[in-house]
Every structure is written in structure tokens, then in C-alpha cells.
Amino acid sequence: MEMICETNNLVTALRRVKSNRGSSGADGMTVRDLEDHFRQHWPTIREQLLNGTYQPQPVKRVEIPKPDGGVRKLGIPTVLDRFIQQAMLQVLQRDWDQTFSESSYGFRPGRSAHQAITAAQGFIAEGFRWVVDLDLEKFFDRVNHDILMSRIARRVRDVRVLQLIRAFLNAGVLENGLVTATDEGTPQGGPLSPWLSNVMLDDLDRELERRGLKFARYADDCNIYVRSLRAGQRVMASVSRFLTERLRLTVNSSKSAVDRPWNRKFLGYSFTNHRTPKRRIAPKAIQRFKGRIRELTRRTRGISLDEMTGQLNSYLRGWLGYFGRCETPSVLRDLNSWLHRRLRAVVWKQWKTSRRRFSELRRLGVSLDLAAQTVGSCHGPWRLSKSPALHKALSTQYFQTLGLVTLLPAAPAA
């Protein structure tokens, strides 16, 4: 606890919480208010931490929609509790991270989802062409506190730290003005929760390593690669028993399967069925992308093309930062063409009158006859967005001049 309360550690934690921003918790305190509150009350808070009497406040329940339907329940701690959790995380992670499995990639310094995907791709290339795709049912809501604390107590001797972690787990949830006690689960939303998930599932990693299995795990998303269907079925049955009996976790049978890797998705990606597999964007991830683009390019939004382009760019940069590493460039080209068609329909609708449409087409280099023919068409914006006139007027170069982010892969250097 003295290491957690050390000045340099606290300064780093404060900086991290401020940079992450985030919404206020149950007490309404904002990140902007934290520094002043910290300066005024830190001596008292420090004394409570050191003598083991600090009491976290309940987390605020927030529900966000899942991409595949349903909702994900987050528990947002107060800003002060987030700060203390961050200070704890920095000390605990420093001591523990190097002891975690090399096949664990989630929420660890210097590790990423892309590394997990690359590892999975390597296993398939080695001939492990069946996957045991494990989905843990409501993992973050079902973690057994006693089992989790027993794992932490193997390494942490400071009773104050153990008591504080237990206090965070049992702090309760504020929902609709009522506080509900929590006797299981690690609420997603606090800095400590991802680390706790890795501690809980470290037993699973060790068991898979003991058996000599090839696997990649990112938080509760775990794929195990084997050479045959029969081996996969054996692994699925035995690992499910291990999770149930040892960790009291449940495998979601409806979402888990033993299948070919190219029929499954892993962290938003899938793979092609080649001797040397290539990364491709999973179909559901493409559906989510198109759904979001449809929202941003609705022709009834009533915003300018420049404003729409700015909103698109914000989304596209983040999306490309993750999915731009796919190895099937034709998919990106098709999505880029589809996006441009959506925007052509928007522009056509915004031009509104026949006179303006004609003059804009002529200004953008469309011939007199083609412009007149297009303006006189009875077809709607979506149909005309594929017409030769709009392709010429609103070309790829036109969207580049607007500053629209392109999905096209960069050309190789000469």
C-alpha cells in the first residue's frame, strides 16, 4: 500500500485518469474536479488507505448496446475510485504482468488484439486448422469473488490491499436511484477490472499450456487451435469441465463451437481457407461498419457535406486503425466504392432542384447531353448514384479534395 501511495505513482495515475476522461460516477464528480478534490482531501484519503479503512462508493450502472444485439452492463466507479484503482493497477501490473502467459494478449502493456490475431493466424498456417472457440457466458458478471481473491492472495501479502480489492468488488451498483449489493462479478468500467480478469483466467492459461495446446486469449475471448475435429471436441469438453469445476465459470454453448477458423470470427477478424491463411474482416464486422456508415450518411440528416465528411473521417480513422490490417484489399476497395456511392446520393439530394443539378454537373465536367439526361431521369438518388454522370462529377478525386479518408490500401513504395 505504501508503494501505491508513493508520489510518483499517484502523479502518473492522476495523469492517466485525466487523459482517459470518462463520465462521472455515482457522486457526480467530474474528471475536471478531481485534481482540486485530490489536493484538498489527499491527506485524509491517504490515511484511510494506509490504515485499511477506505470505503469505495457504489458504481453507477450504464448500459450500452452490443454490436450483436442485447446490452453490455458497465459499472462506472466514481472519479476518485477510478484514480485509486489506477494507482493500484500500476503497482500490481508491474509485479504480475511478466508472470502471465505469453498467449494472453488482453489489457497488457505492449500487447494488443492484433498480436492475438497474428498468433492465431500462425497456428492455422502450422496446420492447426480446427478451432475450439470458447465464449464465457457473462464472464465479467459471473466472476466468483472468493476464487478471485484466493488467486490474488497467492501473491499479495498486504492485507490492506486485499481488503481494498474486496471492497471494490463488493461496493454495490447504483441503478435507478437504488443501491444493489454485488456478491459476484467484476464490473466493467474501472481500471482494475481488466487486470482482475487476467488474474482469474491465468489458471486457464496454465492448464492449456500444461496440455501443450496452441491458443490465443484476449480477456474472456479464447481460441484454441487443434489438428482435428475429434481433438477439438475432446478439448471443448475437458476445458468446459475445468472452467466449471475449477473457476465456476460457464461456457456459453450457443456461442461456442468446434469449427474451421474461416467459419468463425476472432476479435472482429476471420481467416481465408488457404494453405497460408490471410486475415480478413469478419462478416459481422462489415455489417456493423455498413450500419454505422448508413447512420452517418442518411440523406435526411440536414447537415452540410463538409460536416458529414468530418464525422465520417472521425469514424473511418478509428475503424481503419483496427481493420486496416486485413489482407484482403478487395474488401476495402468494395467498401470504399460503396461509401462513395452513399455520398453521391447525399450530394444529389442536397442539390435539390433540376436547375442546380444541371449546373453542378456541367461545372464538374459532365457533357451537356449526359447532364440533361441525368437531370431528366425519373430514378431516385440511390439509383442515380451509380450513373455515369455522377461517377464523373463526384469521382474518387472529388472526395479526396474534400479530405475524405480513403479505405484503399496504400500503394507499395517504389
Side-chain angles (χ1 to χ4, degrees):
M1 186 61 76
E2 280 74 15
M3 294 171 67
I4 291 168
C5 295
E6 193 266 329
T7 301
N8 289 337
N9 187 56
L10 296 174
V11 170
T12 303
L14 184 61
R15 189 184 304 121
R16 181 64 59 86
V17 171
K18 289 172 66 177
S19 67
N20 288 341
R21 300 179 183 176
S23 60
S24 58
D27 63 353
M29 185 191 298
T30 66
V31 173
R32 188 173 297 177
D33 301 329
L34 176 61
E35 193 163 358
D36 287 341
H37 182 87
F38 175 74
R39 286 172 178 165
Q40 291 178 32
H41 300 284
W42 173 242
T44 302
I45 297 168
R46 183 178 186 275
E47 183 180 351
Q48 291 173 348
L49 290 171
L50 292 176
N51 63 28
T53 59
Y54 182 84
Q55 284 298 316
Q57 296 189 53
V59 299
K60 182 173 71 174
R61 173 71 77 213
V62 176
E63 294 184 350
I64 60 173
K66 288 184 177 181
D68 300 331
V71 295
R72 175 177 284 110
K73 294 184 177 182
L74 300 184
I76 308 299
T78 65
V79 175
L80 178 60
D81 285 344
R82 290 210 297 273
F83 162 67
I84 293 171
Q85 284 192 30
Q86 180 63 39
M88 294 177 69
L89 173 66
Q90 289 164 184
V91 172
L92 293 168
Q93 193 170 55
R94 185 172 62 218
D95 293 340
W96 283 60
D97 191 72
Q98 60 188 347
T99 69
F100 286 145
S101 169
E102 287 296 311
S103 296
S104 167
Y105 296 91
F107 310 112
R108 297 179 58 192
R111 289 178 167 258
S112 68
H114 290 128
Q115 292 174 336
I117 294 160
T118 300
Q121 185 179 11
F123 297 145
I124 300 168
E126 291 173 20
F128 297 87
R129 299 174 75 81
W130 288 88
V131 62
V132 180
D133 186 357
L134 290 171
D135 182 273
L136 297 179
E137 187 172 344
K138 297 183 179 178
F139 168 72
F140 285 94
D141 297 330
R142 300 278 177 83
V143 168
N144 182 282
H145 290 176
D146 292 335
I147 293 176
L148 174 59
M149 291 306 303
S150 72
R151 272 45 179 181
I152 299 173
R154 292 173 181 172
R155 298 269 303 275
V156 174
R157 301 302 181 197
D158 192 329
V159 175
R160 297 167 299 178
V161 174
L162 295 174
Q163 288 175 340
L164 185 53
I165 293 174
R166 173 75 80 164
F168 277 121
L169 292 173
N170 294 336
V173 173
L174 176 65
E175 189 172 15
N176 299 323
L178 299 174
V179 176
T180 305
T182 49
D183 55 7
E184 64 177 359
T186 60
Q188 297 180 74
L192 208 52
S193 183
W195 177 81
L196 292 173
S197 73
N198 279 331
V199 172
M200 187 69 176
L201 291 175
D202 191 50
D203 278 17
L204 171 63
D205 297 341
R206 299 305 173 195
E207 177 65 15
L208 298 179
E209 288 176 342
R210 186 186 67 78
R211 300 183 189 186
L213 294 169
K214 308 287 186 179
F215 71 99
R217 183 178 66 78
Y218 190 95
D220 59 331
D221 202 340
C222 183
N223 276 8
I224 307 167
Y225 293 86
V226 295
R227 293 189 183 273
S228 69
L229 172 60
R230 181 173 294 182
Q233 291 170 337
R234 282 199 308 269
V235 169
M236 174 67 82
S238 61
V239 170
S240 297
R241 274 197 309 273
F242 175 86
L243 288 166
T244 302
E245 295 171 4
R246 183 75 69 87
L247 300 180
R248 297 188 193 172
L249 297 171
T250 304
V251 174
N252 187 332
S253 57
S254 64
K255 294 184 178 180
S256 302
V258 180
D259 204 343
R260 295 293 194 176
W262 41 90
N263 295 331
R264 308 294 294 179
K265 65 181 179 69
F266 182 48
L267 303 176
Y269 277 86
S270 187
F271 305 96
T272 61
N273 181 12
H274 293 106
R275 184 179 295 276
T276 302
K278 294 183 178 181
R279 295 186 298 275
R280 65 183 179 92
I281 305 170
K284 285 188 177 181
I286 293 176
Q287 291 174 14
R288 289 197 295 271
F289 171 84
K290 287 190 168 184
R292 182 59 178 150
I293 294 299
R294 287 190 182 100
E295 291 176 7
L296 293 173
T297 58
R298 282 199 323 270
R299 296 192 289 276
T300 56
R301 292 193 67 201
I303 63 174
S304 69
L305 186 60
D306 285 341
E307 188 176 353
M308 186 175 290
T309 299
Q311 294 176 4
L312 282 168
N313 283 346
S314 178
Y315 174 71
L316 292 173
R317 288 191 186 100
W319 189 86
L320 274 175
Y322 189 78
F323 288 107
R325 302 192 187 193
C326 77
E327 297 173 324
T328 50
S330 61
V331 174
L332 294 177
R333 284 194 292 268
D334 290 346
L335 290 175
N336 200 62
S337 298
W338 176 80
L339 169 60
H340 288 182
R341 186 179 177 188
R342 294 281 307 178
L343 289 174
R344 289 186 188 105
V346 168
V347 173
W348 188 253
K349 177 93 182 278
Q350 289 183 347
W351 283 347
K352 291 185 179 178
T353 65
S354 297
R355 176 173 297 192
R356 183 179 178 193
R357 287 170 175 172
F358 181 79
S359 65
E360 291 287 356
L361 289 176
R362 293 289 291 138
R363 182 179 67 83
L364 292 168
V366 178
S367 68
L368 181 68
D369 289 344
L370 185 56
Q373 178 185 343
T374 305
V375 170
S377 172
C378 62
H379 296 304
W382 181 243
R383 177 76 174 268
L384 287 176
S385 64
K386 206 173 181 180
S387 67
L390 286 184
H391 262 274
K392 181 174 179 59
L394 305 175
S395 63
T396 298
Q397 290 72 28
Y398 173 84
F399 292 117
Q400 287 176 349
T401 62
L402 291 179
L404 181 69
V405 169
T406 180
L407 300 180
L408 297 178

